[in-house]
Amino acid sequence: MTAAPVHPARPVLACGEVRTCLLPSLQALDSRAAAQLLRLRADEPVRISERPSMHALSPEVLTGVDCRLPASNGSKVRGVGTVAARAALTEGRLLQATAWFSVPAAGPDLRRPWGQYLVRPGLVEPFGKLPEQATAEGVLRGAGRGELDLGVIAEGLLAQLRRHALLDRRVPFKSSPTRLRWVARREPAGEGASLTSFTVAEGGLRTMELSLPADVPAASAVGLCEDLALHDWLLTTVQHMLDNSRLGSAGGPPVIETLQPVVVHLLHLWMPRAHVDPALAHLWDVLEQRPGFSRQWENLSRRIRDRLALQAVATPQQALSDAR
């Protein structure tokens, strides 16, 4: 007589990492090409949204894992299950890859057959009790040797997509990728979602901590984190382009050459919450208050437009002076 499968406990923690970069293509992809790029599985279609901006989302792919879970306190808790990953393309220009998993407070002491893990995509079970706080801190810190590394999985998916035959591997301007590591703790039924911390570290790394109601799926947290990571990349990239330009001392063609990519490729992409689950969209309010994402973006945009306006006025005057 076959024993009935043991159902795992409800997840208490969801963890993920988002990688964001400029698509290596001189021209932005249209929706048909985006669907071709992100077709990671033959049995599920790529989801395309045309409004309010073109957004393509791949089906999820799974990676089987059997290794130690990240832990800040040195705990060596083995986890077995599957990590889910997906890719997104916004306006045919910005590429993202996310890897994530959920984990319950405790798991069995014996390894289950792989079939039982595969039917629960994105779930990793610990052997015994999960050190929840240490695991959350370990994910945000980054995996150590021999620990489950979400960044490696996300980066592997990005690398696969960047090698696609559709792409010419040329870019309209230089930029750097960013990484967002996040953890979301599950709250009891009736509790609301909250964003408890967001930090900016060196080397393009950001970290974020959330609290999620029990009835909000992990995929909704993934969507929120992808949206945040995309807009953080926009802010970081435009600020970096301005900081490294000579806008205060240069004029003429150098100004136009520096600012044109921002105007042509980036300014129209600022649309917070456009593809976020309504149950979590209000968490953007925290970021609008401090550090004030949209205020920063409006300030950068105004600075760019004012500089271009001044340049437009100065160019005819310079031409007239040269003629004399």
Side-chain angles (χ1 to χ4, degrees), residues 241-251 254-255 258-259 303 307:
M241 293 171 74
L242 293 181
D243 290 345
N244 287 276
S245 67
R246 298 175 60 247
L247 297 186
S249 58
V255 172
T258 299
L259 297 181
R303 184 179 168 193
R307 193 67 180 88

Side-chain angles (χ1 to χ4, degrees), residues 114-159:
W114 263 117
Q116 294 190 28
Y117 295 108
L118 293 175
V119 297
R120 302 181 183 96
L123 184 73
V124 175
E125 288 185 330
F127 275 37
K129 186 177 180 180
L130 175 75
E132 184 177 341
Q133 182 63 27
T135 299
E137 293 174 354
V139 169
L140 297 178
R141 175 206 63 192
R145 185 175 181 180
E147 294 179 340
L148 174 54
D149 194 332
L150 294 173
V152 167
I153 296 174
E155 188 61 34
L157 179 54
L158 269 188

Side-chain angles (χ1 to χ4, degrees), residues 167-241:
L167 308 179
D168 56 23
R169 282 167 282 282
R170 300 165 63 195
V171 292
F173 57 90
K174 293 182 179 180
S175 64
S176 299
T178 58
R179 300 167 289 154
L180 171 64
R181 293 178 187 149
W182 58 270
V183 296
R185 291 178 170 84
R186 289 293 186 177
E187 299 296 337
E191 297 288 337
S194 63
L195 194 160
T196 54
S197 74
F198 174 76
T199 62
V200 177
E202 296 180 352
L205 173 64
R206 287 84 173 97
T207 62
M208 187 166 68
E209 295 183 72
L210 306 165
S211 293
L212 285 183
D215 59 344
V216 174
S220 295
V222 174
L224 171 70
C225 294
E226 288 170 341
D227 192 58
L228 169 60
L230 183 143
H231 289 86
D232 173 77
W233 185 93
L234 287 171
L235 268 177
T236 302
T237 300
V238 173
Q239 184 69 66
H240 182 78
M241 293 171 74

